Amino acid sequence: MQIGIPAETRAGESRVAATPETVKKLVAGGHHKVLVQAGAGVRASIPDADFQSAGATIAGSAGEVLSQSDIVLVVRGPEPAAAAQMKRGAILAGLLNPYDAATVGKSMPRPASQDSRSNGCRAPRAPSRWTSSPRRRTSPATRR
């Protein structure tokens, strides 16, 4: 499976969707190939050589990454023009804003899957104050 990592184009965005360490883990099993846009990690201080040494192939343009990838990893949702270049049926995964229909819904003109990682619970387990213990459900005023 081809996994693509384009450069982020939104103003002020200095992150990249994957690090060389992540790329190394993705290609380790031999089932995936990773395609990284040239310069994708520059604003995050990650040179292309680091991605190459981790096993990624460097692509010359975002269009090349988007049109060849089965899964596209992004930090923020793509611009509509970039989303139109995505391969038919590709999966888009990243910190998409599900409440921004102009960016997410309308930017995906082709049948594609989107996975927003912005609303999920980030705690590995519920804090103790959320447990069902009756003692914990009472307020301090009622515990006299």
Side-chain angles (χ1 to χ4, degrees), residues 29-76:
H31 301 291
H32 306 295
K33 294 180 181 178
V34 178
L35 189 61
V36 178
Q37 181 181 348
V42 170
R43 289 189 273 179
S45 300
I46 304 172
D48 291 342
D50 288 359
F51 284 112
Q52 281 182 314
S53 65
T57 303
I58 304 299
S61 68
E64 188 178 341
V65 173
L66 295 170
S67 66
Q68 294 181 18
S69 300
D70 302 308
I71 299 174
V72 178
L73 303 180
V74 295
V75 175
R76 296 176 62 194

Side-chain angles (χ1 to χ4, degrees), residues 11 70 75 81 89 94 97 118 123-124 138:
D70 302 308
V75 175
N97 181 354
S118 60
T138 58

Side-chain angles (χ1 to χ4, degrees), residues 81-130:
Q85 296 177 357
M86 285 181 65
K87 182 178 181 178
R88 184 175 183 83
I91 296 170
L92 176 66
L95 297 175
L96 308 176
N97 181 354
Y99 302 109
D100 185 6
T103 302
V104 178
K106 293 180 183 175
S107 69
M108 301 300 293
R110 298 174 179 210
S113 297
Q114 301 174 35
D115 185 20
S116 173
R117 294 291 175 187
S118 60
N119 281 345
C121 178
R122 290 176 177 89
R125 64 182 183 85
S128 60
R129 69 176 183 272
W130 293 351

